[in-house]
Amino acid sequence: MSMWSNLPFDLLAKIFSFLSPDSLATARSACKNWHTCSKAYPLSPPTTTSSWFLALPIRNHRASCYARNPTIDKWHQLSLPLPSIRPIASIGSLLLLRVTNSTILQLGLCNPFTGEFKHLPRLHAARTKPAVGVTVSDSSHDDVLFPPFRVYVAGGMSEAAQGGATYETKVEMYDSRVDTWRIVGSTPMELAVRLTVWTPNENVCIGETLYWVTSARAYSVMGYDVGRNGWRELGVPMAEKLEFACLVKRNGALGLVGGTCGGGGGCIWGLSEGEKWCLVDKVPVELGLRLLGGKRVWESVKCVGNEDCVCLYRDLGSGMVVCRRVGDMDEWEWVYGCDYLKGKQLPNSPIRGALLHPTLSSFKQH
């Protein structure tokens, strides 16, 4: 250890930058010198780190979650700053979260690998059950972990001037560069109602357009152009037959993942030019049956995806099916993820999933 203990800190920090977060945490505990180095020198943003899957229990009394390292298919348990949170979007190496112990929308940022948490300011109009979307700015190499971003909130219920409640038509935007909210647009009343009642919080951003999928059959997609303050609605393939539907970003375009009733299986569609949906991939039958416990019912399946991979899952401890990119080519492979932590079966629990590029760097220092 003496040779390694005497390495210059800048060289040691460069070596640390190639480690995964779990390996880096182990290195930090090796000796006082290594711990000091890892804290004093900001780590270079990883260029090849795959996204980790985070499983956040819906009914969480321990303020903890589980993270899967995809490289070695290994799970870790992480502590969280709050027990009642739900993921909305990944922003670099941060999670945008909704605090769930309040009916009024409260948002925060968290790095689950360090436990850091920050509340976002309150909106101008306090509202319940709105749609929330995120756009991430093009950033420099130094900002890849914590890039500048904007949060858009539309729909929801707010307090009416004459008492009671009303559907909120104002669109508010939070800019991370100035840490404030402002009103930037409006929503037609009909769409405000649909965003409130039928749209979950998860969204996908393609270019300057935010997309949400409705949460019940027959499914449809709502789109909001943040530059033009314009709304539109898109149909989805097999809208009447899908038992679940989720939007993902795939090859820079909008993708839809869904499972069809009647034994049709799981599919991935891509939105091509002319706003036409094309089938691009299917869940292998044997992996689909394994995920569904031998049944052919997809209604309990959830999904999260990004440019690296698409993860289909049910509850924690029920396994997961992953479609991941192979190398830099437009080639994808399907694999089944394990559900064991330190040789023991993961506890069965309803979860919400998220994909995140892990880091042990502090976002409060940026």
Side-chain angles (χ1 to χ4, degrees), residues 85-297:
I85 52 179
R86 173 175 172 171
I88 292 179
S90 299
I91 305 172
S93 291
L94 296 177
L95 275 182
L96 178 68
L97 301 166
R98 178 170 66 88
V99 180
T100 58
N101 60 2
S102 171
T103 56
I104 301 298
L105 179 68
Q106 295 183 14
L107 299 176
L109 289 173
C110 177
N111 180 349
F113 292 92
T114 62
E116 291 179 303
F117 181 85
K118 170 190 174 183
H119 282 285
L120 266 60
R122 299 284 183 136
L123 284 78
H124 292 283
R127 56 181 96 188
T128 62
K129 296 184 179 180
V132 181
V134 176
T135 64
V136 179
S137 304
D138 292 333
S139 56
S140 66
H141 181 70
D142 293 335
D143 290 333
V144 67
L145 294 177
F146 314 119
F149 63 92
R150 292 177 173 179
V151 181
Y152 292 83
V153 175
M157 299 288 292
S158 62
E159 186 176 347
Q162 66 276 18
T166 183
Y167 289 102
E168 181 60 61
T169 58
K170 298 184 184 69
V171 178
E172 294 193 44
M173 182 268 289
Y174 168 84
D175 191 331
S176 66
R177 290 187 175 96
V178 293
D179 194 32
T180 57
W181 291 92
R182 63 187 177 94
I183 298 171
V184 295
S186 61
T187 309
M189 180 59 72
E190 178 185 352
L191 295 185
V193 174
R194 298 189 64 188
L195 287 169
T196 304
V197 177
W198 296 114
T199 306
N201 282 328
E202 293 81 359
N203 86 289
V204 170
C205 180
I206 307 295
E208 287 195 332
T209 302
L210 296 170
Y211 294 97
W212 296 269
V213 63
T214 55
S215 58
R217 291 188 289 190
Y219 292 99
S220 64
V221 173
M222 313 287 288
Y224 176 60
D225 188 320
V226 301
R228 299 180 180 179
N229 185 37
W231 291 89
R232 61 188 176 129
E233 185 175 3
L234 302 174
V236 303
M238 307 182 72
E240 294 283 355
K241 294 184 177 181
L242 293 179
E243 294 186 321
F244 88 98
C246 177
L247 296 178
V248 296
K249 188 174 184 179
R250 185 180 172 97
N251 298 329
L254 186 65
L256 175 78
V257 184
T260 58
C261 54
C267 301
I268 302 178
W269 293 270
L271 190 65
S272 61
E273 294 182 5
E275 296 188 345
K276 293 183 178 180
W277 293 100
C278 301
L279 181 65
V280 296
D281 210 341
K282 298 191 72 173
V283 180
V285 174
E286 64 277 9
L287 293 185
L289 288 174
R290 190 173 176 185
L291 175 67
L292 301 177
K295 303 177 182 179
R296 295 182 180 268
V297 180

